[in-house]
Amino acid sequence: MPIIQQLIKEKAHGQYAERQFNTPLVLILTPGRELAEQIGKFAEDLTDGLNMNVKIVTGGNTKQKMLNPSFEDIDILIGTIGAISKLTTTGIYRMTEVKHVVLDEADTMLDDSFNEKLCYFLRRFPFHSSTQLILASATMPTNTDEAFRDIIDTDTLENIVSDDLHKILPYVTQKFLRMSKADRPENLLRIVKTETDKKRPVIVFSNKSATSDYVSIFLNDNGVSCLNINGDMLMKIRQGRFEKFQSGEVNVLSTTDCIGRGLNTVRARHIINFDFPLHVADYIHRCGRIGRLGSNNSCYVTNFVSSLHEIDLVRQIEMSARTNYLLENVNANITNIITTKIEK
């Protein structure tokens, strides 16, 4: 909000009167399409009637946007790194007037699926002089100095940290159920049917798209209406599915970590980790889909634990849940960090 107030004041004084079309003042980058759209809608509501223009850009039809671009007066540009990077490289968007760059879900933006492309893109901004960089996330990675050392003086980064950062929410009940992999579908169906009978919205997380597909097919075949969202889906199939869950059209969502970060899933009451997450950061973010501001107070996380390699991570999370201590080694799926540990 202070950023918007500052820009409104500067625009009122004619500071950006000569700015060209498609030349934003604020750039907000996200790792996922649904998150970009959610932030965009919130920004539009926040700036309604304030002479601020918001543009949302996501992937899926980037080639069409390159062939038939639109030219508009844009103050706040919000989008995924892939789409924004391509449209900037081709000259459709100009970053010469950007004063604030925001990386939402910064830990995901810094993992190996985005890091190289993101850092290459960020080198175009003068962070040492006139542009501010803001990192926002429920978990902060330990590799920020390494990632940004060629982009910004990392000593100038100021940390604003909540006391609850990297903690399990104390008001969300955590259950850990040990079972074989063969028993997971039966237990999932039993729990989900109990919840849907009570009209309690459920999100089921899997580690892989194929497993997410299986969970959705299995539940639908057994009389439970379930939508599926994962990163391998075509945009035209994926589009609108999350809104159906948010609006209450469907009460069960099968997904991967593609919607595990940032989305304001205030309807959700129960998270089921059909696959236990591979990283502590993923667990924190998945749990963060419930117990949010404005959501129901009665929320649960149920974890299916089926493999020996999950035990150490489960013990760490169980201890944190019981004692309200900080979780350690909270990083996203940063491949080079894992590789380094293996080599050592």
Side-chain angles (χ1 to χ4, degrees):
M1 190 62 180
I3 292 175
I4 293 175
Q5 290 175 330
Q6 178 184 343
L7 293 179
I8 291 171
K9 183 178 179 180
E10 290 171 349
K11 284 190 70 178
H13 286 83
Q15 186 166 334
Y16 305 110
E18 302 300 322
R19 188 163 44 105
Q20 294 179 311
F21 286 145
N22 288 8
T23 308
L25 301 172
V26 177
L27 176 63
I28 302 175
L29 296 173
T30 76
R33 298 162 181 169
E34 285 82 8
L35 182 55
E37 290 167 356
Q38 177 180 279
I39 294 172
K41 290 174 183 176
F42 178 78
E44 288 172 344
D45 292 340
L46 193 63
T47 58
D48 186 32
L50 296 178
N51 190 30
M52 297 291 291
N53 302 302
V54 176
K55 178 73 174 181
I56 307 166
V57 176
T58 58
N61 59 346
T62 308
K63 288 185 178 179
Q64 181 62 33
K65 292 173 184 174
M66 292 165 62
L67 294 171
N68 187 26
S70 61
F71 295 92
E72 309 162 69
D73 181 12
I74 301 172
D75 297 304
I76 303 174
L77 181 62
I78 302 163
T80 53
I81 178 61
I84 295 292
S85 178
K86 288 179 182 177
L87 294 171
T88 301
T89 301
T90 54
I92 294 171
Y93 291 109
R94 304 177 185 87
M95 299 296 156
T96 53
E97 297 290 338
V98 170
K99 303 302 177 186
H100 307 276
V101 177
V102 181
L103 305 184
D104 197 28
E105 301 305 324
D107 65 332
T108 303
M109 299 292 284
L110 290 174
D111 77 19
D112 281 308
S113 55
F114 296 99
N115 183 279
E116 184 176 350
K117 180 182 293 184
L118 173 69
C119 291
Y120 179 81
F121 179 74
L122 291 180
R123 289 190 182 97
R124 68 179 64 244
F125 297 101
F127 294 117
H128 61 282
S129 58
S130 59
T131 304
Q132 180 187 45
L133 177 64
I134 301 172
L135 312 178
S137 181
T139 56
M140 291 308 296
T142 58
N143 68 326
T144 51
D145 286 358
E146 178 186 350
F148 292 143
R149 62 187 175 190
D150 297 328
I151 299 168
I152 189 173
D153 180 1
T154 54
D155 290 335
T156 64
L157 289 173
E158 182 178 348
N159 292 321
I160 302 174
V161 181
S162 164
D163 292 337
D164 295 323
L165 184 70
H166 300 171
K167 287 185 179 180
I168 300 298
L169 295 175
Y171 48 84
V172 173
T173 302
Q174 317 274 328
K175 295 181 179 179
F176 299 84
L177 305 180
R178 314 290 173 90
M179 67 186 73
S180 68
K181 288 189 176 182
D183 290 334
R184 291 188 302 170
E186 178 184 350
N187 282 288
L188 175 68
L189 183 60
R190 173 181 54 81
I191 294 170
V192 169
K193 279 194 170 182
T194 299
E195 295 295 74
T196 53
D197 288 345
K198 298 177 182 178
K199 301 188 184 303
R200 291 166 55 93
V202 181
I203 301 178
V204 183
F205 278 103
S206 302
N207 291 340
K208 297 180 179 180
S209 296
T211 310
S212 173
D213 293 338
Y214 164 76
V215 166
S216 177
I217 293 170
F218 172 76
L219 290 176
N220 279 291
D221 285 349
N222 284 276
V224 177
S225 181
C226 174
L227 281 176
N228 181 25
I229 300 176
N230 61 65
D232 290 339
M233 284 182 169
L234 294 174
M235 182 58 179
K236 63 182 180 181
I237 298 175
R238 180 170 161 179
Q239 200 165 23
R241 291 197 173 192
F242 180 69
E243 285 72 17
K244 288 182 179 180
F245 177 78
Q246 288 287 72
S247 66
E249 186 174 333
V250 175
N251 280 327
V252 182
L253 182 66
S254 175
T255 188
T256 59
D257 287 304
C258 71
I259 71 156
R261 282 162 159 74
L263 290 171
N264 192 25
T265 51
V266 292
R267 286 190 68 249
R269 300 276 297 280
H270 197 157
I271 296 297
I272 300 176
N273 284 317
F274 185 79
D275 284 330
F276 199 77
L278 302 175
H279 309 280
V280 173
D282 292 333
Y283 187 82
I284 292 173
H285 282 281
R286 289 182 186 183
C287 293
R289 298 315 98 218
I290 57 176
R292 303 176 67 83
L293 183 65
S295 65
N296 191 287
N297 290 330
S298 179
C299 295
Y300 301 87
V301 177
T302 299
N303 300 287
F304 292 179
V305 183
S306 305
S307 301
L308 289 175
H309 71 268
E310 298 167 346
I311 299 301
D312 287 342
L313 183 56
V314 169
R315 287 173 178 165
Q316 180 184 351
I317 293 170
E318 283 182 323
M319 179 62 71
S320 176
R322 290 193 182 104
T323 62
N324 199 32
Y325 282 1
L326 291 173
L327 284 163
E328 298 179 353
N329 302 319
V330 176
N331 279 300
N333 52 325
I334 304 168
T335 304
N336 60 353
I337 290 180
I338 297 171
T339 303
T340 301
K341 287 185 177 180
I342 292 173
E343 290 174 349
K344 287 181 179 179

